[in-house]
Amino acid sequence: MSSTTVHLDIFMGDKEQYKLDEAAYLSTCDLLANNAAIYGLPPDPQHLSQEQQEILSEIDKSRVLRLVPPDPLCAGRLVFELNPEPSLKKTTTNFTALCTGEKGKCKNARNKDLHYLGCPIHRIVRDFVAQGGDITRGDGSGGESIYGGKFNDEKDGFKTKMRKGTLAMANSGKNTNSSQFFVVLTDDETQLAKLNGKYVAFAELKTGFEVLDKLNEVAGDVNGKPGVPVWIGGCGKGTGS
């Protein structure tokens, strides 16, 4: 029985500050490119000595020099292998379609896309779970499946013994699956006991365990709100490119 993979690209950080830092770095690179040959400066701003930095600064005092590019917002890619069992087809089809965005707009929240792209990871509990997928409200109070609203539990998903990297549907009780999901961040049996048999598990992480560790590092306060904004910056079927 062949299995399907899907991927989520996890981004984290301050988007606006990143834009400012990137603009400052590109401005510095531009200033250097236009003056390096004239003043005998190296082409890479990171190779400038203190004296050379002062020379560059004197050329255009209106610019704030940034000698290194900002750290990328993309923390990495999570690639999941979906459970191929027919008994979980409704759940896996829902998740896959939300990764590709192929179903268009929500039926209940018509101004929202049935797509995980840009959706926040709104809740991260250290050494427990990272939860996201609220495509309608972004805060855990909403969500919608491709079937419109919620859909019933596929009971075979309750049989999976969860572990670090297990992907499961978040719910608010019996038969309340929508678009919200969580990824397990731990192998601690005490924590896993809180999850086993209560949520429909339908996939396992294939690559990207280092991303789980990064998510764990920005785990939130008592309510699970992450320490920095975290969101899905890319998603789709397959491992991607």
Side-chain angles (χ1 to χ4, degrees):
M1 191 178 293
S2 61
S3 58
T4 300
T5 56
V6 293
H7 66 271
L8 302 175
D9 293 330
I10 303 301
F11 284 59
M12 56 179 68
D14 187 327
K15 291 182 190 178
E16 294 306 315
Q17 187 60 51
Y18 178 85
K19 288 179 182 177
L20 292 173
D21 291 345
E22 183 181 44
Y25 176 69
L26 293 175
S27 175
T28 300
C29 290
D30 181 61
L31 181 64
L32 183 58
N34 291 331
N35 293 279
I38 300 171
Y39 293 92
L41 304 174
D44 188 335
Q46 296 182 64
H47 295 156
L48 292 169
S49 67
Q50 185 63 42
E51 183 181 356
Q52 290 168 332
Q53 290 176 36
E54 292 172 2
I55 291 171
L56 192 63
S57 182
E58 285 293 322
I59 295 170
D60 186 347
K61 294 183 179 180
S62 68
R63 301 198 199 197
V64 176
L65 297 186
R66 183 179 175 93
L67 305 177
V68 295
D71 291 333
L73 292 173
C74 184
R77 172 167 291 180
L78 300 173
V79 177
F80 295 98
E81 188 169 355
L82 300 175
N83 190 320
E85 291 296 330
S87 57
L88 286 168
K89 187 171 179 57
K90 194 164 189 177
T91 304
T92 56
T93 297
N94 177 64
F95 192 85
T96 302
L98 288 165
C99 284
T100 64
E102 64 195 66
K103 297 296 183 180
K105 297 289 185 181
C106 293
K107 293 178 181 177
N108 297 321
R110 295 184 180 277
N111 63 326
K112 300 292 185 179
D113 293 323
L114 282 164
H115 200 189
Y116 285 141
L117 185 64
C119 189
I121 304 297
H122 64 270
R123 177 174 176 257
I124 305 175
V125 180
R126 191 179 306 279
D127 298 324
F128 190 40
V129 299
Q131 183 175 336
D134 182 349
I135 58 174
T136 58
R137 295 183 180 175
D139 60 4
S141 65
E144 185 173 324
S145 76
I146 63 170
Y147 312 111
K150 298 175 171 50
F151 65 98
N152 290 348
D153 301 321
E154 291 186 300
K155 292 181 173 50
D156 274 1
F158 293 136
K159 298 176 183 177
T160 299
K161 294 298 181 184
M162 299 209 193
R163 59 185 180 180
K164 187 175 182 179
T166 297
L167 178 64
M169 297 303 296
N171 66 45
S172 54
K174 184 178 179 181
N175 298 325
T176 58
N177 303 291
S178 60
S179 54
Q180 288 197 52
F181 63 86
F182 65 83
V183 186
V184 180
L185 301 178
T186 183
D187 276 320
D188 181 85
E189 292 295 337
T190 303
Q191 294 287 62
L192 296 177
K194 301 174 184 178
L195 303 171
N196 287 329
K198 299 173 184 175
Y199 303 91
V200 176
F202 61 94
E204 297 292 341
L205 188 64
K206 189 175 180 182
T207 61
F209 282 92
E210 72 284 357
V211 183
L212 296 191
D213 294 335
K214 291 178 183 179
L215 287 169
N216 205 41
E217 288 172 6
V218 298
D221 54 22
V222 66
N223 296 315
K225 184 178 179 180
V228 298
V230 183
W231 69 98
I232 298 168
C235 50
K237 192 174 180 180
T239 57
S241 57

PDB file of all heavy atoms in Angstrom, residues 31-54:
ATOM      1  N   LEU A  31      25.460  50.236  -1.487  1.00  0.00           N
ATOM      2  CA  LEU A  31      26.435  51.301  -1.260  1.00  0.00           C
ATOM      3  C   LEU A  31      27.860  50.791  -1.477  1.00  0.00           C
ATOM      4  O   LEU A  31      28.693  51.471  -2.107  1.00  0.00           O
ATOM      5  CB  LEU A  31      26.273  51.848   0.161  1.00  0.00           C
ATOM      6  CG  LEU A  31      27.206  52.994   0.567  1.00  0.00           C
ATOM      7  CD1 LEU A  31      26.937  54.243  -0.277  1.00  0.00           C
ATOM      8  CD2 LEU A  31      27.039  53.307   2.058  1.00  0.00           C
ATOM      9  N   LEU A  32      28.127  49.600  -0.987  1.00  0.00           N
ATOM     10  CA  LEU A  32      29.456  49.014  -1.134  1.00  0.00           C
ATOM     11  C   LEU A  32      29.765  48.694  -2.596  1.00  0.00           C
ATOM     12  O   LEU A  32      30.878  48.956  -3.079  1.00  0.00           O
ATOM     13  CB  LEU A  32      29.560  47.750  -0.281  1.00  0.00           C
ATOM     14  CG  LEU A  32      30.912  47.032  -0.264  1.00  0.00           C
ATOM     15  CD1 LEU A  32      32.014  47.968   0.215  1.00  0.00           C
ATOM     16  CD2 LEU A  32      30.845  45.790   0.635  1.00  0.00           C
ATOM     17  N   ALA A  33      28.780  48.131  -3.310  1.00  0.00           N
ATOM     18  CA  ALA A  33      28.985  47.772  -4.716  1.00  0.00           C
ATOM     19  C   ALA A  33      29.343  48.993  -5.561  1.00  0.00           C
ATOM     20  O   ALA A  33      30.162  48.911  -6.489  1.00  0.00           O
ATOM     21  CB  ALA A  33      27.733  47.099  -5.264  1.00  0.00           C
ATOM     22  N   ASN A  34      28.765  50.133  -5.224  1.00  0.00           N
ATOM     23  CA  ASN A  34      28.997  51.361  -6.000  1.00  0.00           C
ATOM     24  C   ASN A  34      30.310  52.063  -5.643  1.00  0.00           C
ATOM     25  O   ASN A  34      30.753  52.953  -6.387  1.00  0.00           O
ATOM     26  CB  ASN A  34      27.831  52.337  -5.796  1.00  0.00           C
ATOM     27  CG  ASN A  34      26.556  51.838  -6.442  1.00  0.00           C
ATOM     28  OD1 ASN A  34      26.592  51.110  -7.439  1.00  0.00           O
ATOM     29  ND2 ASN A  34      25.413  52.208  -5.865  1.00  0.00           N
ATOM     30  N   ASN A  35      30.918  51.668  -4.526  1.00  0.00           N
ATOM     31  CA  ASN A  35      32.101  52.401  -4.064  1.00  0.00           C
ATOM     32  C   ASN A  35      33.317  51.529  -3.752  1.00  0.00           C
ATOM     33  O   ASN A  35      34.392  52.055  -3.460  1.00  0.00           O
ATOM     34  CB  ASN A  35      31.742  53.201  -2.804  1.00  0.00           C
ATOM     35  CG  ASN A  35      30.753  54.313  -3.090  1.00  0.00           C
ATOM     36  OD1 ASN A  35      31.139  55.382  -3.555  1.00  0.00           O
ATOM     37  ND2 ASN A  35      29.481  54.056  -2.812  1.00  0.00           N
ATOM     38  N   ALA A  36      33.153  50.211  -3.813  1.00  0.00           N
ATOM     39  CA  ALA A  36      34.245  49.310  -3.437  1.00  0.00           C
ATOM     40  C   ALA A  36      35.505  49.554  -4.270  1.00  0.00           C
ATOM     41  O   ALA A  36      36.623  49.659  -3.723  1.00  0.00           O
ATOM     42  CB  ALA A  36      33.803  47.852  -3.554  1.00  0.00           C
ATOM     43  N   ALA A  37      35.341  49.640  -5.581  1.00  0.00           N
ATOM     44  CA  ALA A  37      36.504  49.810  -6.471  1.00  0.00           C
ATOM     45  C   ALA A  37      37.175  51.161  -6.246  1.00  0.00           C
ATOM     46  O   ALA A  37      38.412  51.272  -6.285  1.00  0.00           O
ATOM     47  CB  ALA A  37      36.068  49.661  -7.921  1.00  0.00           C
ATOM     48  N   ILE A  38      36.377  52.177  -5.992  1.00  0.00           N
ATOM     49  CA  ILE A  38      36.913  53.529  -5.809  1.00  0.00           C
ATOM     50  C   ILE A  38      37.780  53.625  -4.563  1.00  0.00           C
ATOM     51  O   ILE A  38      38.861  54.227  -4.579  1.00  0.00           O
ATOM     52  CB  ILE A  38      35.753  54.554  -5.721  1.00  0.00           C
ATOM     53  CG1 ILE A  38      34.908  54.520  -6.998  1.00  0.00           C
ATOM     54  CG2 ILE A  38      36.289  55.956  -5.452  1.00  0.00           C
ATOM     55  CD1 ILE A  38      33.634  55.329  -6.903  1.00  0.00           C
ATOM     56  N   TYR A  39      37.328  52.973  -3.464  1.00  0.00           N
ATOM     57  CA  TYR A  39      38.024  53.116  -2.182  1.00  0.00           C
ATOM     58  C   TYR A  39      38.841  51.869  -1.807  1.00  0.00           C
ATOM     59  O   TYR A  39      39.387  51.800  -0.706  1.00  0.00           O
ATOM     60  CB  TYR A  39      37.011  53.412  -1.073  1.00  0.00           C
ATOM     61  CG  TYR A  39      36.359  54.769  -1.214  1.00  0.00           C
ATOM     62  CD1 TYR A  39      35.167  54.919  -1.911  1.00  0.00           C
ATOM     63  CD2 TYR A  39      36.947  55.908  -0.663  1.00  0.00           C
ATOM     64  CE1 TYR A  39      34.571  56.167  -2.061  1.00  0.00           C
ATOM     65  CE2 TYR A  39      36.360  57.155  -0.797  1.00  0.00           C
ATOM     66  CZ  TYR A  39      35.177  57.279  -1.499  1.00  0.00           C
ATOM     67  OH  TYR A  39      34.581  58.512  -1.643  1.00  0.00           O
ATOM     68  N   GLY A  40      38.896  50.892  -2.726  1.00  0.00           N
ATOM     69  CA  GLY A  40      39.672  49.683  -2.448  1.00  0.00           C
ATOM     70  C   GLY A  40      39.089  48.844  -1.328  1.00  0.00           C
ATOM     71  O   GLY A  40      39.815  48.301  -0.493  1.00  0.00           O
ATOM     72  N   LEU A  41      37.763  48.716  -1.329  1.00  0.00           N
ATOM     73  CA  LEU A  41      37.074  47.960  -0.286  1.00  0.00           C
ATOM     74  C   LEU A  41      36.719  46.563  -0.785  1.00  0.00           C
ATOM     75  O   LEU A  41      36.495  46.365  -1.974  1.00  0.00           O
ATOM     76  CB  LEU A  41      35.789  48.691   0.132  1.00  0.00           C
ATOM     77  CG  LEU A  41      35.945  50.135   0.617  1.00  0.00           C
ATOM     78  CD1 LEU A  41      34.585  50.763   0.856  1.00  0.00           C
ATOM     79  CD2 LEU A  41      36.796  50.181   1.884  1.00  0.00           C
ATOM     80  N   PRO A  42      36.624  45.591   0.104  1.00  0.00           N
ATOM     81  CA  PRO A  42      36.204  44.242  -0.302  1.00  0.00           C
ATOM     82  C   PRO A  42      34.733  44.262  -0.736  1.00  0.00           C
ATOM     83  O   PRO A  42      33.951  45.092  -0.254  1.00  0.00           O
ATOM     84  CB  PRO A  42      36.403  43.397   0.959  1.00  0.00           C
ATOM     85  CG  PRO A  42      36.327  44.369   2.088  1.00  0.00           C
ATOM     86  CD  PRO A  42      36.911  45.649   1.555  1.00  0.00           C
ATOM     87  N   PRO A  43      34.328  43.349  -1.633  1.00  0.00           N
ATOM     88  CA  PRO A  43      32.949  43.373  -2.137  1.00  0.00           C
ATOM     89  C   PRO A  43      31.898  42.889  -1.143  1.00  0.00           C
ATOM     90  O   PRO A  43      30.717  43.162  -1.305  1.00  0.00           O
ATOM     91  CB  PRO A  43      33.019  42.442  -3.356  1.00  0.00           C
ATOM     92  CG  PRO A  43      34.164  41.517  -3.063  1.00  0.00           C
ATOM     93  CD  PRO A  43      35.160  42.328  -2.299  1.00  0.00           C
ATOM     94  N   ASP A  44      32.312  42.151  -0.133  1.00  0.00           N
ATOM     95  CA  ASP A  44      31.388  41.587   0.854  1.00  0.00           C
ATOM     96  C   ASP A  44      31.413  42.439   2.121  1.00  0.00           C
ATOM     97  O   ASP A  44      32.480  42.611   2.730  1.00  0.00           O
ATOM     98  CB  ASP A  44      31.791  40.149   1.173  1.00  0.00           C
ATOM     99  CG  ASP A  44      30.764  39.430   2.044  1.00  0.00           C
ATOM    100  OD1 ASP A  44      30.015  40.108   2.776  1.00  0.00           O
ATOM    101  OD2 ASP A  44      30.726  38.188   2.008  1.00  0.00           O
ATOM    102  N   PRO A  45      30.287  42.972   2.554  1.00  0.00           N
ATOM    103  CA  PRO A  45      30.282  43.834   3.749  1.00  0.00           C
ATOM    104  C   PRO A  45      30.779  43.135   5.011  1.00  0.00           C
ATOM    105  O   PRO A  45      31.293  43.777   5.929  1.00  0.00           O
ATOM    106  CB  PRO A  45      28.811  44.260   3.885  1.00  0.00           C
ATOM    107  CG  PRO A  45      28.029  43.315   3.045  1.00  0.00           C
ATOM    108  CD  PRO A  45      28.941  42.864   1.953  1.00  0.00           C
ATOM    109  N   GLN A  46      30.654  41.807   5.052  1.00  0.00           N
ATOM    110  CA  GLN A  46      31.091  41.066   6.235  1.00  0.00           C
ATOM    111  C   GLN A  46      32.613  41.045   6.362  1.00  0.00           C
ATOM    112  O   GLN A  46      33.142  40.704   7.421  1.00  0.00           O
ATOM    113  CB  GLN A  46      30.547  39.639   6.199  1.00  0.00           C
ATOM    114  CG  GLN A  46      29.020  39.577   6.267  1.00  0.00           C
ATOM    115  CD  GLN A  46      28.486  38.164   6.282  1.00  0.00           C
ATOM    116  OE1 GLN A  46      28.733  37.414   7.216  1.00  0.00           O
ATOM    117  NE2 GLN A  46      27.742  37.793   5.256  1.00  0.00           N
ATOM    118  N   HIS A  47      33.319  41.389   5.273  1.00  0.00           N
ATOM    119  CA  HIS A  47      34.778  41.376   5.280  1.00  0.00           C
ATOM    120  C   HIS A  47      35.389  42.758   5.537  1.00  0.00           C
ATOM    121  O   HIS A  47      36.602  42.918   5.499  1.00  0.00           O
ATOM    122  CB  HIS A  47      35.302  40.826   3.945  1.00  0.00           C
ATOM    123  CG  HIS A  47      34.938  39.393   3.715  1.00  0.00           C
ATOM    124  ND1 HIS A  47      34.855  38.821   2.460  1.00  0.00           N
ATOM    125  CD2 HIS A  47      34.600  38.413   4.594  1.00  0.00           C
ATOM    126  CE1 HIS A  47      34.499  37.558   2.577  1.00  0.00           C
ATOM    127  NE2 HIS A  47      34.339  37.286   3.859  1.00  0.00           N
ATOM    128  N   LEU A  48      34.550  43.724   5.791  1.00  0.00           N
ATOM    129  CA  LEU A  48      35.043  45.073   6.054  1.00  0.00           C
ATOM    130  C   LEU A  48      35.710  45.162   7.428  1.00  0.00           C
ATOM    131  O   LEU A  48      35.139  44.703   8.431  1.00  0.00           O
ATOM    132  CB  LEU A  48      33.895  46.083   5.987  1.00  0.00           C
ATOM    133  CG  LEU A  48      33.256  46.347   4.618  1.00  0.00           C
ATOM    134  CD1 LEU A  48      31.980  47.156   4.789  1.00  0.00           C
ATOM    135  CD2 LEU A  48      34.225  47.057   3.688  1.00  0.00           C
ATOM    136  N   SER A  49      36.881  45.781   7.477  1.00  0.00           N
ATOM    137  CA  SER A  49      37.517  46.055   8.767  1.00  0.00           C
ATOM    138  C   SER A  49      36.807  47.242   9.417  1.00  0.00           C
ATOM    139  O   SER A  49      35.972  47.905   8.780  1.00  0.00           O
ATOM    140  CB  SER A  49      38.992  46.391   8.561  1.00  0.00           C
ATOM    141  OG  SER A  49      39.123  47.629   7.867  1.00  0.00           O
ATOM    142  N   GLN A  50      37.142  47.529  10.662  1.00  0.00           N
ATOM    143  CA  GLN A  50      36.530  48.661  11.350  1.00  0.00           C
ATOM    144  C   GLN A  50      36.821  49.962  10.609  1.00  0.00           C
ATOM    145  O   GLN A  50      35.933  50.806  10.437  1.00  0.00           O
ATOM    146  CB  GLN A  50      37.062  48.749  12.782  1.00  0.00           C
ATOM    147  CG  GLN A  50      36.401  49.832  13.622  1.00  0.00           C
ATOM    148  CD  GLN A  50      34.905  49.591  13.818  1.00  0.00           C
ATOM    149  OE1 GLN A  50      34.476  48.478  14.056  1.00  0.00           O
ATOM    150  NE2 GLN A  50      34.113  50.649  13.691  1.00  0.00           N
ATOM    151  N   GLU A  51      38.042  50.109  10.134  1.00  0.00           N
ATOM    152  CA  GLU A  51      38.420  51.319   9.391  1.00  0.00           C
ATOM    153  C   GLU A  51      37.630  51.426   8.088  1.00  0.00           C
ATOM    154  O   GLU A  51      37.151  52.507   7.724  1.00  0.00           O
ATOM    155  CB  GLU A  51      39.921  51.302   9.091  1.00  0.00           C
ATOM    156  CG  GLU A  51      40.413  52.554   8.381  1.00  0.00           C
ATOM    157  CD  GLU A  51      41.908  52.503   8.068  1.00  0.00           C
ATOM    158  OE1 GLU A  51      42.574  51.524   8.481  1.00  0.00           O
ATOM    159  OE2 GLU A  51      42.409  53.428   7.406  1.00  0.00           O
ATOM    160  N   GLN A  52      37.476  50.305   7.399  1.00  0.00           N
ATOM    161  CA  GLN A  52      36.727  50.301   6.134  1.00  0.00           C
ATOM    162  C   GLN A  52      35.245  50.568   6.361  1.00  0.00           C
ATOM    163  O   GLN A  52      34.585  51.212   5.541  1.00  0.00           O
ATOM    164  CB  GLN A  52      36.932  48.967   5.421  1.00  0.00           C
ATOM    165  CG  GLN A  52      38.338  48.775   4.876  1.00  0.00           C
ATOM    166  CD  GLN A  52      38.618  47.356   4.423  1.00  0.00           C
ATOM    167  OE1 GLN A  52      38.031  46.395   4.920  1.00  0.00           O
ATOM    168  NE2 GLN A  52      39.530  47.224   3.460  1.00  0.00           N
ATOM    169  N   GLN A  53      34.706  50.097   7.473  1.00  0.00           N
ATOM    170  CA  GLN A  53      33.311  50.391   7.818  1.00  0.00           C
ATOM    171  C   GLN A  53      33.125  51.897   7.997  1.00  0.00           C
ATOM    172  O   GLN A  53      32.111  52.463   7.567  1.00  0.00           O
ATOM    173  CB  GLN A  53      32.923  49.659   9.101  1.00  0.00           C
ATOM    174  CG  GLN A  53      32.813  48.150   8.958  1.00  0.00           C
ATOM    175  CD  GLN A  53      32.525  47.478  10.297  1.00  0.00           C
ATOM    176  OE1 GLN A  53      31.801  48.019  11.139  1.00  0.00           O
ATOM    177  NE2 GLN A  53      33.110  46.310  10.506  1.00  0.00           N
ATOM    178  N   GLU A  54      34.090  52.537   8.636  1.00  0.00           N
ATOM    179  CA  GLU A  54      34.012  53.974   8.859  1.00  0.00           C
ATOM    180  C   GLU A  54      34.085  54.733   7.542  1.00  0.00           C
ATOM    181  O   GLU A  54      33.389  55.744   7.353  1.00  0.00           O
ATOM    182  CB  GLU A  54      35.141  54.406   9.795  1.00  0.00           C
ATOM    183  CG  GLU A  54      34.976  53.890  11.216  1.00  0.00           C
ATOM    184  CD  GLU A  54      36.195  54.151  12.083  1.00  0.00           C
ATOM    185  OE1 GLU A  54      37.157  54.770  11.582  1.00  0.00           O
ATOM    186  OE2 GLU A  54      36.183  53.735  13.266  1.00  0.00           O
TER     187      GLU A  54
END
